[in-house]
Amino acid sequence: MDLMEKITSLAKRRGFIYPGSEIYGGLAGFWDYGPLGVELKNNIKREWWKSMVYEREDVVGLDAAIIMNPKVWEASGHVKSLTDPLIECKICHKRFRADNEDIIREHEREHKGKSSWTESKNFNLLTEVYLGVTEPKEKAYLRGEITQGVFVNFQNVVSSSRVKIPFGIAQIGKAFRNEITPGNLTFRSREFEQMELEYFMEPDEKGSKKVFEYWKKERLNWYISLGIRRENLRFREHALDERAHYAKYAEDIEYNSPFGSPRGEAGWKEFEGIHHRGDWDLSRHKLTYENYTPWVIETSGGVDRALLFFIIDAYTEDSSISSEPRVYLRLNPRLAPYKIAVFPLLANKENLVKKANWLFGKLRATLPSVAWDDRGNIGKRYYAQDEIGTPWCVTVDFQTLEDGAVTVRDRDTAKQERIGVDRLVKYFENKLA
Ligand code: GAP
């Protein structure tokens, strides 16, 4: 099994990511998050909001509607320009992105090297929806980026809060694109979530370069601070012909993924975009600040993509102890779905279960996300918690009943230490600080 197959299997088996509408055969590009997936996703979004809004003086939040007046998308240029080039195989009528050379070659191999393609045509990625109950229904769009909701509320935010330029508006929410070739688990989906900052500033070439560089660094460091390995991240500047219609200049943070890339470079894939949008959007919507049109630097990351890359980067197989590798997710404790798991050493010893249950209640009252497990033997429980990234396991054993101490086992080192129950809450509070 290659790494992506292992990750896909783990994600489904342990309740992180399920194929959408699976019992009806699924629907390409749509995914559901299970009990652990939703915790991980919420933790990612909480960390992002903390660093982008709560820890800053110059950023406020917003939550705009998914469906907007379609005039927004005409003004923003998305109706005309949010497109991908599409070609169709004349042999089997499957459709592909014309710029996806690896996938096209792979498809030609399926036809034993024969190839016959239609001309490339631009295909709009906005998803249409129809509103109202009587004909003619009103055509609208599911938002293709969450961004426009921020721009159309620019004046509202300025007049209803105390922000003054330079300042930012942060938002997290769902976006939808009719992607031609969704794939690689959630990497390219048709429904996905974005976490974005639009940072408004005075129009100034030199100043905007500084702000751009500042946000590049901030965003890279955020991923590193949550555990992504530095060597798996890099910046890549967009060539002129690949820049989005709104971008004056753009760079991506890329991740060294285990799957191929349309540009043929093994692995490096877009993780987050940093865009210099200049005055494109505000001037399109005819919005100004005092007597000028501000410029915008944007950071735009995908929540689903972040979740996928956090899992991939954390996935570890350790063969140093036994020939059967120990698999664990080296997730930062702030992201891990469960922070602690509590076990009674034996599930059929009433006094152990009682004590462990008491401890479970005590930890849960003060610390977030504590799990209980009394299935199978202790080795199997460690295995199960390692695989979902639980940083610490606490075992109540016979000695606990005598000395009031428990065994705390660390996920990454598999080392164990004895800690007094009365010190346990403080011990974990320090670890999670
Ligand atoms: N507002 C700017 C914008 O939407 P983008 O580069 O098209 O820019 C930003 O998207 C980020 O959103 C990407 O870097 C990626 O993380 C995420 N994203 C975009 N399309 C996606 C898709 N089809 N599936 C999952 N995530 C996607």
Side-chain angles (χ1 to χ4, degrees), residues 216-236 252-257 267-272 305-306 309-310 313:
K216 266 174 62 182
K217 226 186 269 162
E218 283 289 300
R219 296 303 305 139
L220 184 83
N221 287 339
W222 185 77
Y223 289 112
I224 295 169
S225 75
L226 288 172
I228 301 268
R229 292 181 173 85
R230 175 66 185 89
E231 65 270 25
N232 286 335
L233 295 168
R234 73 172 190 191
F235 289 112
R236 189 183 65 83
D252 284 338
I253 297 178
E254 290 192 327
Y255 181 75
N256 189 10
S257 82
W268 291 102
K269 287 280 188 182
E270 175 182 343
F271 198 162
E272 164 156 349
R305 216 169 263 195
F309 289 157
F310 275 122
D313 212 76

Side-chain angles (χ1 to χ4, degrees), residues 244-264:
H245 61 279
Y246 51 72
K248 224 168 130 65
Y249 178 77
E251 287 190 41
D252 284 338
I253 297 178
E254 290 192 327
Y255 181 75
N256 189 10
S257 82
F259 40 92
S261 135
R263 287 184 303 278

Side-chain angles (χ1 to χ4, degrees), residues 97-135:
R97 269 175 69 153
D99 57 356
N100 214 330
E101 278 168 32
D102 286 356
I103 290 179
I104 290 169
R105 297 295 150 255
E106 197 181 303
H107 185 71
E108 287 174 351
R109 276 197 289 280
E110 278 175 30
H111 293 307
K112 312 256 179 301
K114 274 196 209 142
S115 64
S116 179
W117 296 101
T118 58
E119 285 289 301
S120 161
K121 258 200 242 149
N122 273 343
F123 175 88
N124 192 279
L125 302 187
L126 287 175
T127 313
E128 292 172 7
V129 285
Y130 292 88
L131 305 175
V133 287
T134 52
E135 299 292 343

Side-chain angles (χ1 to χ4, degrees), residues 61-84:
L62 184 93
D63 183 16
I66 286 175
I67 300 178
M68 291 186 278
N69 189 316
K71 285 182 192 154
V72 170
W73 300 105
E74 279 152 31
S76 69
H78 284 78
V79 171
K80 188 163 162 254
S81 305
L82 185 67
T83 57
D84 271 342

Side-chain angles (χ1 to χ4, degrees), residues 7 11 16-17 33 36-44 185-186 195 223 228 271 302-313 331 335:
I7 301 271
F16 284 97
I17 306 170
Y33 288 87
L36 297 187
V38 68
E39 294 300 330
L40 177 53
K41 205 173 187 208
N42 284 342
N43 292 343
I44 292 170
L185 206 58
T186 53
M195 35 195 187
Y223 289 112
I228 301 268
F271 198 162
V303 179
D304 313 79
R305 216 169 263 195
L307 186 145
L308 178 62
F309 289 157
F310 275 122
I311 292 184
I312 290 174
D313 212 76
L331 287 172
L335 297 184

Side-chain angles (χ1 to χ4, degrees), residues 200-423:
F200 300 91
M201 54 171 298
E202 284 182 18
D204 167 29
E205 283 295 347
K206 225 167 136 190
S208 66
K209 272 198 192 116
K210 262 199 195 150
V211 174
F212 190 92
E213 287 305 314
Y214 170 81
W215 283 110
K216 266 174 62 182
K217 226 186 269 162
E218 283 289 300
R219 296 303 305 139
L220 184 83
N221 287 339
W222 185 77
Y223 289 112
I224 295 169
S225 75
L226 288 172
I228 301 268
R229 292 181 173 85
R230 175 66 185 89
E231 65 270 25
N232 286 335
L233 295 168
R234 73 172 190 191
F235 289 112
R236 189 183 65 83
E237 188 182 326
H238 280 206
L240 257 180
D241 62 355
E242 66 173 315
R243 279 181 207 162
H245 61 279
Y246 51 72
K248 224 168 130 65
Y249 178 77
E251 287 190 41
D252 284 338
I253 297 178
E254 290 192 327
Y255 181 75
N256 189 10
S257 82
F259 40 92
S261 135
R263 287 184 303 278
E265 265 181 89
W268 291 102
K269 287 280 188 182
E270 175 182 343
F271 198 162
E272 164 156 349
I274 323 286
H275 306 131
H276 190 323
R277 294 179 78 122
D279 68 359
W280 170 270
D281 303 272
L282 290 183
S283 65
R284 283 296 186 115
H285 297 305
K286 302 191 172 48
L287 295 166
T288 55
Y289 178 87
E290 292 171 359
N291 57 355
Y292 64 91
T293 309
W295 282 6
V296 174
I297 303 295
E298 167 184 78
T299 73
S300 175
V303 179
D304 313 79
R305 216 169 263 195
L307 186 145
L308 178 62
F309 289 157
F310 275 122
I311 292 184
I312 290 174
D313 212 76
Y315 183 90
T316 313
E317 289 182 359
D318 176 8
S319 305
S320 64
I321 300 172
S322 65
S323 55
E324 184 68 21
R326 181 172 81 88
V327 172
Y328 62 98
L329 290 188
R330 194 190 43 87
L331 287 172
N332 183 300
R334 282 182 283 157
L335 297 184
Y338 294 123
K339 316 299 177 203
I340 304 159
V342 177
F343 319 142
L345 179 66
L346 298 171
N348 57 359
K349 295 285 174 218
E350 202 184 322
N351 48 356
L352 288 186
V353 175
K354 211 166 145 203
K355 182 79 180 175
N357 222 309
W358 168 83
L359 182 60
F360 176 55
K362 182 177 150 97
L363 291 176
R364 256 166 42 125
T366 44
L367 292 163
S369 321
V370 184
W372 169 266
D373 199 351
D374 58 7
R375 295 163 306 167
N377 63 36
I378 197 91
K380 284 203 178 119
R381 293 183 214 154
Y382 283 153
Y383 184 91
Q385 295 299 328
D386 281 349
E387 214 186 25
I388 60 172
T390 308
W392 301 286
C393 292
V394 174
T395 305
V396 170
D397 54 23
F398 292 107
Q399 213 183 320
T400 311
L401 304 177
E402 284 166 24
D403 66 5
V406 288
T407 303
V408 177
R409 184 252 196 195
D410 181 278
R411 174 196 67 198
D412 299 349
T413 60
K415 290 221 166 85
Q416 304 187 357
E417 58 178 319
R418 296 290 290 181
I419 309 278
V421 166
D422 50 344
R423 285 200 296 125

